[in-house]
């Protein structure tokens, strides 16, 4: 997929936040945007780096990570096509608040600060939508950090697996029964070690809550996991 094949305006319209803009405003914003591509594992930007742009994902998946004061890597979220990131540094002109890396090959629509703020000032509905997005991000980060600080490993792990099982394209009405995740990735998502995650999953396998088979984590007893998730 080359740059000429990317309809930036159409892709922006697929993102919930940019749906608050009228067609002309999206066209104006798209005209100032440019495309970047990244390979699997590549760091898109590093926590603490200066930030003068935000990105909308055209294709692929990226992971948002932070390092805790104790030096542990924590995954905050995985973002997919239609999601945006980098908006905090773009708005305040400060440093990046997290590290973002490509999980696979991805294409990003990059929006520079000057053109973005110009559109923002002329579209109050868009400003409100952006505020709502920022509040959602803060709530999600706060919940994640509260879980890491106050909940035990089994509770955090059960909540994570249940949350991942209903992440789009799945839904609460049609949850996934199997997940493809490494135990190292799971550990980063709940702020613990791979070894501890492995021991917990092995105990759950013996209790017939989950199965570990051919790289898949299979959720056998959803009600049992829900009970663990509510234990605290």
């Amino acid at each position: 997929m080359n740059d000429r094949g990317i309809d930036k305006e159409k892709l922006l319209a697929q993102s919930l936040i940019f749906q608050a803009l009228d067609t002309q405003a999206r066209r104006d914003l798209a005209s100032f945007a440019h495309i970047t591509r990244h390979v699997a594992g590549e760091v898109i930007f590093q926590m603490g780096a200066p930030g003068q742009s935000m990105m909308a994902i055209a294709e692929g998946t990226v992971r948002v990570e932070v390092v805790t004061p104790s030096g542990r890597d924590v995954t905050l979220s995985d973002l997919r096509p239609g999601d945006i990131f980098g908006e905090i540094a773009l708005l305040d002109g400060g440093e990046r608040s997290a590290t973002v890396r490509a999980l696979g090959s991805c294409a990003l629509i990059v929006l520079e600060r000057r053109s973005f703020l110009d559109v923002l000032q002329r579209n109050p509905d868009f400003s409100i939508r952006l505020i709502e997005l920022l509040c959602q991000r803060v709530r999600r980060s706060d919940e994640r950090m509260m879980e890491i600080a106050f909940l035990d490993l089994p509770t955090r792990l059960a909540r994570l697996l249940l949350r991942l099982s209903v992440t789009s394209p799945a839904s609460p009405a049609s949850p996934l029964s199997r997940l493809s995740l490494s135990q190292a990735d799971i550990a980063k998502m709940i702020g613990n070690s791979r070894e501890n995650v492995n021991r917990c999953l092995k105990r759950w396998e013996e209790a017939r809550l989950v199965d570990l088979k051919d790289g898949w984590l299979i959720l056998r007893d959803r009600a049992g996991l829900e009970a663990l998730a509510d234990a605290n």
Side-chain angles (χ1 to χ4, degrees), residues 50-188:
Q52 292 292 319
S53 61
M54 66 180 281
M55 292 82 170
I57 303 174
E59 59 181 22
T61 305
V62 305
R63 175 160 291 171
V64 184
E65 306 170 323
V66 296
V67 179
T68 67
S70 64
R72 188 181 297 279
D73 291 333
V74 176
T75 296
L76 293 181
S77 60
D78 289 345
L79 304 178
R80 295 170 175 79
D83 288 332
I84 68 167
F85 62 94
E87 71 282 355
I88 293 177
L90 176 136
L91 289 171
D92 67 9
E95 298 178 344
R96 297 296 190 188
S97 59
T99 295
V100 179
R101 71 180 68 248
L103 288 185
S105 297
C106 65
L108 308 175
I109 302 172
V110 182
L111 306 166
E112 301 297 339
R113 188 169 194 260
R114 179 180 298 179
S115 58
F116 182 84
L117 292 182
D118 181 57
V119 171
L120 192 65
Q121 290 168 355
R122 292 187 281 112
N123 293 270
D125 288 346
F126 184 46
S127 301
I128 292 171
R129 185 68 61 85
L130 186 60
I131 291 169
E132 291 172 348
L133 173 71
L134 289 170
C135 290
Q136 290 171 7
R137 294 271 173 90
V138 170
R139 285 179 185 276
R140 189 160 59 232
S141 294
D142 285 351
E143 288 170 1
R144 188 68 54 85
M145 292 307 173
M146 288 286 286
E147 287 179 356
I148 291 172
F150 297 110
L151 299 182
D152 60 23
L153 172 60
T155 303
R156 299 203 309 272
L157 182 54
R159 289 188 178 189
L160 173 67
L161 298 184
L162 292 170
R163 187 163 57 235
L164 292 175
S165 73
V166 297
T167 299
S168 180
S171 68
S174 182
L176 299 173
S177 62
R178 55 172 59 196
L179 303 171
S180 178
L181 280 173
S182 74
Q183 292 183 18
D185 283 342
I186 291 173
K188 286 184 178 181

